[in-house]
Structure formats: C-alpha cells, structure tokens
Amino acid sequence: VKLTLIIVLLVASFVAGCGKDNKEQTVTNLRTKQIKLQQLRNVLDELVQHKLEFDFFGITSNGVDCLYFMQENGKLDLEFEAITQEQIPYLEKLRAFAAGKGFSVVDTTYGNKSEDDPSTPAPVLRIETRSTVEEAASIGEEIMKGVFKCNDSTNFELVP
C-alpha cells in the first residue's frame, strides 16, 4: 500500500511538475530539492551515473520555464513541454535558440493534455544536443539565462 501511494504521488508530481501554479499544488512537498544554475552540472552527473529515480529531470523557477534534461545512449538532450498558453511562445524562442546553435529539433508530444484545451495534447520541443554533462550544463544555463531571463541567483526546483 505504501509503494502504491508513492507511485501515485510520483505520477501526480510528474503530471503537475511544470506549467501549474506551484503554490497551489498538493505535491509541492515532493519537490524539496532546489539548485542554482551553478549546481546543474552536479545533478547532470547524477543523471548519467543513474543515481536519479528516472532517466530525466527538469528544472523550473516558476512552473513556466521548465526545461528537461534527458539521457539517451549516454548523451544528453533537452526538452520543453508547453502545458499552458503562457508556455507556447517559448517553443519558438527555443527553436530559434537551437537553430542558432546548429542543433536539430523534434516536435513531439507525450500525450499530456494542454491546460487550455484538454482535447489537445501538449506540444514538446526536443532539442537534440547529443551533449556531454559539461556541454548540457552550459546549454541549459544559456537557455535559462537567455530565453527565460533567469540569473545566477535564481532558485530552481528539481522536478521529475
């Protein structure tokens, strides 16, 4: 029963991870770990060493700027899912960022529902960086500062 409850809470946390008002979520207490951009490299190291619960994690300072780091075949890619209308403009900003850096992008979805139109799956932009930990940390920092206007003192929650 305890394991079932943990699984249900983790799934709820993943679905509610980004794009929601974090102050009103009942699962907020699951996301107690916060980092600064300077600590991103350490979390990426944990990811590639399989020390995290999943093969991905996200960072967000406000629920809108949620950037995911995914590990696949020993390389790292980044993803952004637009759950809310407020996140939609960032799809094009991230697409422009990726083009400027020479990265390929893939438009996909995981079937999560858009908050604004539950009949429409939320779009996901995957930036195929195929990067190392050092490169992914640098790219992530550049996106959070350049696209989302965060800075070195911004606190980020880790989200599943």
Side-chain angles (χ1 to χ4, degrees):
V1 173
K2 185 176 179 182
L3 181 59
T4 302
L5 177 60
I6 290 171
I7 291 170
V8 167
L9 289 174
L10 284 172
V11 169
S13 178
F14 176 74
V15 170
C18 292
K20 309 257 186 190
D21 184 355
N22 291 337
K23 294 178 185 81
E24 295 180 8
Q25 293 178 17
T26 58
V27 294
T28 301
N29 60 354
L30 292 176
R31 289 182 270 127
T32 57
K33 186 167 182 181
Q34 290 194 346
I35 64 166
K36 304 273 191 199
L37 287 174
Q38 300 88 333
Q39 298 165 301
L40 180 57
R41 187 169 283 109
N42 297 339
V43 182
L44 287 164
D45 277 332
E46 291 178 28
L47 177 66
V48 299
Q49 294 169 14
H50 304 287
K51 292 183 178 178
L52 300 180
E53 188 168 357
F54 302 105
D55 284 339
F56 65 91
F57 71 92
I59 60 172
T60 184
S61 69
N62 59 17
V64 173
D65 61 355
C66 193
L67 186 64
Y68 281 92
F69 296 84
M70 324 293 281
Q71 177 178 242
E72 188 174 315
N73 299 324
K75 294 294 181 176
L76 298 164
D77 292 325
L78 291 79
E79 288 188 355
F80 178 78
E81 183 174 35
I83 298 286
T84 68
Q85 195 64 33
E86 187 178 5
Q87 292 174 304
I88 296 292
Y90 290 105
L91 292 169
E92 290 310 313
K93 291 178 182 184
L94 289 166
R95 190 180 311 282
F97 172 87
K101 297 292 182 180
F103 298 132
S104 298
V105 297
V106 174
D107 292 293
T108 189
T109 184
Y110 291 113
N112 296 326
K113 302 301 179 196
S114 166
E115 273 189 8
D116 303 306
D117 181 3
S119 66
T120 305
V124 174
L125 183 71
R126 183 179 188 108
I127 304 172
E128 295 184 327
T129 65
R130 304 291 191 249
S131 54
T132 64
V133 166
E134 295 290 323
E135 294 164 338
S138 178
I139 295 163
E141 184 173 339
E142 193 171 350
I143 288 173
M144 296 315 282
K145 287 179 175 179
V147 174
F148 294 111
K149 307 302 182 204
C150 298
N151 58 49
D152 288 333
S153 63
T154 303
N155 287 317
F156 294 92
E157 288 185 45
L158 293 181
V159 293

